[in-house]
Amino acid sequence: QVQLVESGGGLVQPGGSLRLSCAASGNIFSIGSMGWYRQAPGKQRELVASITSGGPTNYAESVKGRFTISRDNAKNTVTLQMNSLKPEDTAVYYCNADVISRRYDIWREYWGQGTQVTVSS
């Protein structure tokens, strides 16, 4: 079994910054793509940013230039630095990772429990 544990959410004023972190632990042989998704009330979950094990990143258009995703492969962690936050960034943010637990195993997708980010004055 694999666990993803997020930290770093909270309340911030518009224009402020927050840093989200996610640590993967458990039965891990290799981690492929890691990423952050978010879900606002009444809306579908959407991709915010993702990063492969080799480093290439992908961002939602709405966060480009404001958010930065990074990872530490040695520590099995992924971080989302969020700057210039807007009220529309308010959502529950979920960590996501594709993991194999043994050599020649299939890739499985795991999710964290979610962390609330609220941008409000």
Side-chain angles (χ1 to χ4, degrees), residues 21 24 28 54 59 64 66 69-70 73 75 80 118 120:
S21 296
I28 298 171
Y59 294 92
K64 281 184 179 178
R66 300 188 296 122
I69 190 170
S70 60
N73 291 330
K75 297 180 179 179
L80 185 68
T118 302
S120 175

Side-chain angles (χ1 to χ4, degrees), residues 100-118:
I100 54 173
S101 295
R102 294 183 303 276
R103 188 185 291 274
Y104 308 124
D105 199 358
I106 62 172
W107 291 95
R108 291 182 171 83
E109 183 178 47
Y110 293 90
W111 293 91
Q113 79 284 358
T115 184
Q116 177 69 46
V117 171
T118 302

Side-chain angles (χ1 to χ4, degrees), residues 6-25:
E6 301 124 334
S7 61
L11 172 64
V12 65
Q13 292 186 341
S17 298
L18 279 176
R19 186 179 180 91
L20 304 183
S21 296
C22 173
S25 62

Side-chain angles (χ1 to χ4, degrees), residues 23 37 79 89 97 103:
Y37 288 70
T79 299
D89 295 318
R103 188 185 291 274

Side-chain angles (χ1 to χ4, degrees), residues 8 18 25 27 34 43 50 59 65 71 77 79 82 103 117:
L18 279 176
S25 62
N27 193 9
M34 302 185 80
K43 295 187 177 181
S50 64
Y59 294 92
R71 66 188 281 174
T77 59
T79 299
M82 304 185 294
R103 188 185 291 274
V117 171

